[in-house]
Amino acid sequence: MSEQYKAAGVDIAEGGRAVALMRDAVRATFTPNVLADVGSFGGLFALRDLPREPVLVASTDGVGTKVKLAAQRGQWRGIGHDIVNHCVNDIVVQGARPLFFLDYIASSKLIAEQVAEVVIGVAEACQAAGCALLGGETAEMPGVYAEGAFDLAGTVVGVVGQGSLLPRPDQMEAGDRLFGLPSSGPHTNGYSLIRKLLDEHHGTDEWADACLEPHRSYLKEIDMLDGADVPIKGLAHITGGGFTDNIPRILPDSLDAALEPWPLSPLFATLCRWSGMAWAEAAHVFNLGIGMVIVVDRAAGDALQAALPEARPIGTLVDHDDSPPRVRWSQP
Amino acid sequence: MSEQYKAAGVDIAEGGRAVALMRDAVRATFTPNVLADVGSFGGLFALRDLPREPVLVASTDGVGTKVKLAAQRGQWRGIGHDIVNHCVNDIVVQGARPLFFLDYIASSKLIAEQVAEVVIGVAEACQAAGCALLGGETAEMPGVYAEGAFDLAGTVVGVVGQGSLLPRPDQMEAGDRLFGLPSSGPHTNGYSLIRKLLDEHHGTDEWADACLEPHRSYLKEIDMLDGADVPIKGLAHITGGGFTDNIPRILPDSLDAALEPWPLSPLFATLCRWSGMAWAEAAHVFNLGIGMVIVVDRAAGDALQAALPEARPIGTLVDHDDSPPRVRWSQP
């Protein structure tokens, strides 16, 4: 059987080898809520210690063509951190904390060591987030994926009490302050453009590796603000569509954001120069060095900066102007 | 901006067009538990009317290279049914009922109508299962996917009271009866082999279309058994690895399964003839016309057949024999 089946492109033994390589890392993520998998068709997570009026918050995402750059550079583990932190940030901005994660990896040809490296990266990031890696799927799909290419998607499920949901657009008002938390690089956005630029400008391996720095998680920082009793009105995760598309998602119709540019890191300065994009244009694609935007009351700004010294003040909320854009920059 | 970004292969406008085409179908799946998406970075699902000692059951899966056949035949909607029903069956066998689903679609080039067809299929199957389509991601990944190819993955989250978890291996005993529920075709397994066979034997479009029949959901049938108070000891979803790998997942170490072959449908008879595989070999790859196996007490067999006339008795549990395999067929 296995010979016949292998001939059609699916190597079951290699899949088993990948599972053996990743098993310990996955088990290390199991929180006490994970029940021994009796039948293992699905992962089991006991709901205990729920907040009042519990709401599950779920998000599925991929890491875009960053996987292509990772495959070219043979750097698999960081991509695992990317998918987890991207997804976790997406539910943290709703006020939730992660419970569990599931991953999906597919490639033209399954190579056990590569798949295990990706999943070990996923498991490491899950463990850091206190999130169980509850399940996953590895697929070998000859003819669907380009040779040597792979894709990675993930789903996170978290929980929040209905009273703690974010954002709170009804509490926002003109004069509220916006702060930015540093990103570790382009995170997981703009990679089709980045790869094109690296190509056209003969970017060195060092540049490519800098672009592969894993997506940062902001879970700890938001926990610190909660611990310091800094009331958050809204959080915007700066992902695809940059500041232009992500900040308006959390604003009431009556308010816009007025932001001031900041000094760019060498990496983003180079990407902007190579692409020829002006600031406002680049801010529609890249995070430009700021991966999470926090909206707080004017009175809470000092407390926020005391709790998170790395937070940079980047602007304020202003009354809505009928002429677009809703995110305005103080200089082009 | 969009021109620069589009040049790198990602067409944001086409993504927006896909979302517009699928919006109504997605909204139709929203159960009362789905909260209006305030910020929409993640989907929100209010946990209400939970069973005692609630356990979340989650599963992520893909549909394998069936997507390749679907793309060749331009039949997109059925693939959406495939992923949902595959995932739902995987948690039904643990005793759970689905709460919500999230999908991930990626391709080399995003074509709005194709993506919308897939997602409308996902939404139709979700609605039939009483399951909210809470979120999803569509990615265009030039260079990662083969030209014209796409992939589809999904994650389902369901709930069950801890006391209702399946399987119950401690209750199983020699003499328990196994019944099979008909499949609608190969479901989502064995497609690398199926495509190779269709190719080698010049399979007609009619054969290809028969192979694309969507994966059947068994949710309604299992609900009917519950409604008729037929106590279920275990359910095995016959997916990758066929009967050989999936039945042992629910058995205690002390028991094996002794099964009797059944008459094959023309489709499976042809696939077996083309592949040259004997029954036991084919039963390690294909579902051979039975997609769900139910284990009940000997005394409950008649009640099961009264509730589900299409159920076929396929064998019994027997004392474990030290020599493999654990699933034995009465004839080769």
Side-chain angles (χ1 to χ4, degrees), chain B residues 2-300:
Chain B
S2 78
E3 279 314 304
Q4 171 67 33
Y5 204 59
K6 197 169 168 181
V10 178
D11 188 338
I12 292 171
E14 191 76 0
R17 212 159 67 77
V19 169
L21 287 169
M22 67 182 72
R23 186 173 286 131
D24 289 347
V26 173
R27 289 222 173 118
T29 71
F30 285 4
T31 56
N33 299 55
V34 176
L35 305 186
D37 42 8
V38 233
S40 78
F41 284 88
L44 305 179
F45 189 93
L47 283 174
R48 302 189 193 113
D49 310 317
L50 290 173
R52 231 172 75 84
E53 297 185 284
V55 175
L56 293 182
V57 184
S59 183
T60 283
D61 228 313
V63 291
T65 53
K66 190 172 186 176
V67 290
K68 182 102 180 139
L69 195 60
Q72 276 165 9
R73 299 286 306 139
Q75 294 190 13
W76 313 95
R77 196 175 292 206
I79 278 291
H81 288 254
D82 278 309
I83 187 68
V84 174
N85 293 341
H86 180 106
C87 287
V88 166
N89 288 340
D90 265 354
I91 67 164
V92 164
V93 298
Q94 309 256 198
R97 294 298 177 270
L99 298 175
F100 58 84
F101 191 86
L102 302 101
D103 68 287
Y104 174 79
I105 305 175
S107 61
S108 57
K109 173 133 193 63
L110 196 159
I111 296 167
E113 283 73 15
Q114 290 174 3
V115 170
E117 272 293 294
V118 174
V119 177
I120 288 168
V122 167
E124 286 173 348
C126 279
Q127 204 175 3
C131 172
L133 178 48
L134 198 61
E137 169 73 1
T138 306
E140 188 172 65
M141 303 185 56
V144 173
Y145 289 83
E147 195 151 325
F150 76 107
D151 197 10
L152 173 65
T155 302
V156 70
V157 175
V159 71
V160 56
Q162 194 158 345
S164 304
L165 275 168
L166 291 176
R168 307 175 191 270
D170 51 308
Q171 294 184 5
M172 294 182 190
E173 55 189 12
D176 282 350
R177 298 184 66 188
L178 282 78
F179 289 85
L181 293 176
S183 65
S184 49
H187 284 176
T188 46
N189 290 102
Y191 280 84
S192 290
L193 176 57
I194 290 170
R195 290 188 306 119
K196 177 169 169 275
L197 294 174
L198 283 172
D199 224 41
E200 285 174 3
H201 297 269
H202 310 288
T204 59
D205 287 351
E206 287 69 27
W207 279 115
D209 289 351
C211 290
L212 280 173
E213 188 63 34
H215 199 128
R216 177 178 167 181
S217 165
Y218 297 99
L219 178 60
K220 189 164 54 79
E221 286 68 26
I222 304 307
D223 277 342
M224 284 169 72
L225 288 185
D226 281 351
D229 283 325
V230 177
I232 298 170
K233 293 189 178 187
L235 295 168
H237 186 200
I238 306 305
T239 56
F243 298 85
T244 317
D245 290 352
N246 286 296
I247 290 183
R249 292 166 81 173
I250 66 167
L251 299 184
D253 291 343
S254 59
L255 294 169
D256 295 341
L259 304 183
E260 253 180 76
W262 46 87
L264 289 177
S265 67
L267 177 62
F268 281 111
T270 304
L271 290 173
C272 287
R273 196 177 66 246
W274 282 349
S275 68
M277 291 192 289
W279 182 280
E281 217 179 355
H284 200 169
V285 177
F286 294 127
N287 66 54
L288 295 174
I290 297 226
M292 180 67 77
V293 171
I294 311 166
V295 182
V296 294
D297 195 89
R298 187 194 318 222

Side-chain angles (χ1 to χ4, degrees), chain A residues 1 4 40-43 45 47 54 56 58 60-61 64 68 94 104 137 141 143-146 151 155 193 249 281, chain B residues 1 4 40-43 45 47 54 56 58 61 64 68 94 102 104 137 141 143-146 151 155 193 249 281:
Chain A
M1 192 289 303
Q4 170 68 36
S40 81
F41 284 89
F45 189 93
L47 281 174
L56 294 182
T60 283
D61 227 313
K68 183 100 180 143
Q94 309 256 199
Y104 174 79
E137 170 73 1
M141 303 186 55
V144 173
Y145 288 83
D151 197 9
T155 302
L193 177 55
R249 291 165 83 172
E281 215 178 357
Chain B
M1 191 291 303
Q4 171 67 33
S40 78
F41 284 88
F45 189 93
L47 283 174
L56 293 182
D61 228 313
K68 182 102 180 139
Q94 309 256 198
L102 302 101
Y104 174 79
E137 169 73 1
M141 303 185 56
V144 173
Y145 289 83
D151 197 10
T155 302
L193 176 57
R249 292 166 81 173
E281 217 179 355

Side-chain angles (χ1 to χ4, degrees), chain A residues 65-88:
Chain A
T65 53
K66 191 172 186 176
V67 291
K68 183 100 180 143
L69 196 59
Q72 276 164 9
R73 301 285 306 138
Q75 295 191 11
W76 313 95
R77 196 176 292 204
I79 278 290
H81 288 255
D82 277 310
I83 188 67
V84 174
N85 293 342
H86 180 106
C87 288
V88 166

Side-chain angles (χ1 to χ4, degrees), chain A:
Chain A
M1 192 289 303
S2 79
E3 279 316 303
Q4 170 68 36
Y5 204 57
K6 197 168 166 180
V10 177
D11 188 338
I12 292 173
E14 191 74 0
R17 214 159 65 78
V19 169
L21 287 170
M22 68 181 73
R23 187 174 285 128
D24 289 346
V26 173
R27 290 221 172 118
T29 72
F30 284 4
T31 55
N33 299 56
V34 176
L35 305 185
D37 43 9
V38 231
S40 81
F41 284 89
L44 304 179
F45 189 93
L47 281 174
R48 301 189 193 112
D49 309 317
L50 289 173
R52 233 173 74 84
E53 298 185 285
V55 176
L56 294 182
V57 184
S59 183
T60 283
D61 227 313
V63 291
T65 53
K66 191 172 186 176
V67 291
K68 183 100 180 143
L69 196 59
Q72 276 164 9
R73 301 285 306 138
Q75 295 191 11
W76 313 95
R77 196 176 292 204
I79 278 290
H81 288 255
D82 277 310
I83 188 67
V84 174
N85 293 342
H86 180 106
C87 288
V88 166
N89 289 340
D90 265 355
I91 67 164
V92 164
V93 298
Q94 309 256 199
R97 294 298 177 271
L99 299 174
F100 59 82
F101 191 86
L102 302 101
D103 68 286
Y104 174 79
I105 305 176
S107 61
S108 57
K109 172 135 193 62
L110 196 157
I111 297 168
E113 282 74 15
Q114 290 174 2
V115 169
E117 271 293 294
V118 174
V119 177
I120 288 169
V122 167
E124 286 173 347
C126 280
Q127 204 176 0
C131 171
L133 179 48
L134 198 62
E137 170 73 1
T138 305
E140 188 173 63
M141 303 186 55
V144 173
Y145 288 83
E147 197 150 324
F150 77 107
D151 197 9
L152 173 64
T155 302
V156 70
V157 175
V159 72
V160 56
Q162 194 159 345
S164 304
L165 273 168
L166 291 176
R168 308 175 190 270
D170 51 309
Q171 294 183 6
M172 294 183 191
E173 54 188 11
D176 282 351
R177 299 183 67 187
L178 283 77
F179 289 85
L181 293 176
S183 65
S184 49
H187 284 177
T188 46
N189 290 103
Y191 280 84
S192 290
L193 177 55
I194 289 171
R195 291 190 303 118
K196 177 168 168 276
L197 294 174
L198 283 172
D199 225 42
E200 286 175 1
H201 297 268
H202 310 290
T204 59
D205 287 352
E206 287 68 27
W207 279 115
D209 289 352
C211 291
L212 280 173
E213 189 61 34
H215 199 128
R216 178 178 166 182
S217 164
Y218 297 99
L219 178 59
K220 189 165 55 78
E221 286 68 27
I222 303 308
D223 276 342
M224 284 170 72
L225 288 185
D226 282 351
D229 283 326
V230 177
I232 298 169
K233 292 188 178 185
L235 295 169
H237 186 200
I238 307 304
T239 57
F243 298 83
T244 317
D245 290 353
N246 286 295
I247 291 183
R249 291 165 83 172
I250 66 167
L251 299 183
D253 291 342
S254 58
L255 295 169
D256 294 341
L259 304 184
E260 253 179 76
W262 47 86
L264 290 177
S265 68
L267 177 62
F268 280 112
T270 304
L271 291 173
C272 286
R273 197 177 64 245
W274 282 350
S275 68
M277 291 193 288
W279 182 281
E281 215 178 357
H284 200 167
V285 178
F286 295 127
N287 67 54
L288 294 175
I290 298 228
M292 179 68 77
V293 171
I294 311 167
V295 181
V296 294
D297 195 87
R298 188 194 318 221
D302 291 348
L304 183 145
Q305 286 213 282
L308 294 177
E310 66 172 349
R312 162 185 287 274
I314 58 169
T316 56
L317 295 187
V318 294
D319 287 325
H320 176 60
D321 185 329
D322 272 340
S323 58
R326 295 196 60 198
V327 174
R328 297 196 285 278
W329 297 97
S330 63
Q331 51 194 62

